[in-house]
Every structure is written in structure tokens, then in C-alpha cells.
Amino acid sequence: MNNAGFAVHGGFAETPLEDSLGVLDLNCRAVVTLAHAFLAHARPGAALVNVSSTLGFTPKPGLGVHSATKAFVTSFSEALARAQRWSRAGRTPCSPRSPGCCPAGPRCPCSARPSRPRPTPRAA
């Protein structure tokens, strides 16, 4: 499970470049590196879980680089899903507050976070 990440809060232009590049390195480069290492040795039935964030879908001002890296994690995971469809191992992108997001089920750190109740479908 890839569940590392950090963010630097503040305006993009006011944030030191090295801080933004550090966010990119951990939130993107580390995910790619660890996914590659895992999939190179994965056994049949193994699952790769990359923890993303809802910020990847709804960016927040002051967290532009972090939000962009989480969009990368989601997109990268989806690309791996398609590429791995016929291979030995699967992958799942996992966003906090998305119940049942990964094969770890209730052990998933995302599942431990409270989620908003889903609306009950109404009959037409």
C-alpha cells in the first residue's frame, strides 16, 4: 500500500520551489518507484493500493501542487489498472472518504476515516 504524502500550504508563487519539488518527489516519484518494485515481484492475486485524495478531484487553493500530485496518483493508478488487467497483479486507487475503496476492506486506512452517508436511492 502506497500511503505516503505531504503538502505545503500556501500560495504557489510564495512557496519556495524546493518545497514544491519535495511534494512532487514524495507524492509522485515515490509512488512510481514503489509501484514498479512491487509489480516486478507481485504474485498472482496480489493487489497494489495507491492512496490518493479527494483533492485530486477537487483542488483546493493553497494546495495546488499537492492537489495536482493526488490527481497524478489517481490517473497513474487507473493507467496501471488497464495495463495490468490481464497480468498477475491488480491495483486499486484509494481516496480518503471512499468506503470500500480497496481490497484491504476494513483494514484500509481510508475505511477507518468517517465518510459521509450515501443518499438512499429513491424509486422512480
Side-chain angles (χ1 to χ4, degrees):
M1 177 179 291
N2 285 329
N3 189 26
F6 80 100
V8 176
H9 298 269
F12 176 73
E14 294 77 39
T15 301
L17 178 59
E18 288 303 314
D19 291 353
S20 293
L21 293 176
V23 172
L24 282 171
D25 280 345
L26 181 64
N27 296 3
C28 296
R29 185 184 293 257
V31 169
V32 170
T33 301
L34 293 172
H36 189 273
F38 174 81
L39 291 173
H41 302 286
R43 295 181 178 175
L48 171 63
V49 178
N50 293 322
V51 178
S52 184
S53 170
T54 56
L55 290 176
F57 301 105
T58 54
K60 182 177 178 183
L63 290 170
V65 173
H66 178 75
S67 297
T69 65
K70 293 309 177 176
F72 168 83
V73 171
T74 300
S75 182
F76 175 67
S77 298
E78 291 299 325
L80 286 179
R82 291 183 175 102
Q84 297 293 323
R85 183 170 290 156
W86 304 110
S87 87
R88 311 176 286 167
R91 73 75 214 90
T92 302
C94 188
S95 296
R97 300 189 186 277
S98 295
C101 65
C102 74
R107 295 184 310 252
C108 174
C110 296
S111 299
R113 295 186 173 118
S115 61
R116 294 181 183 162
R118 294 183 181 188
T120 305
R122 296 182 184 187

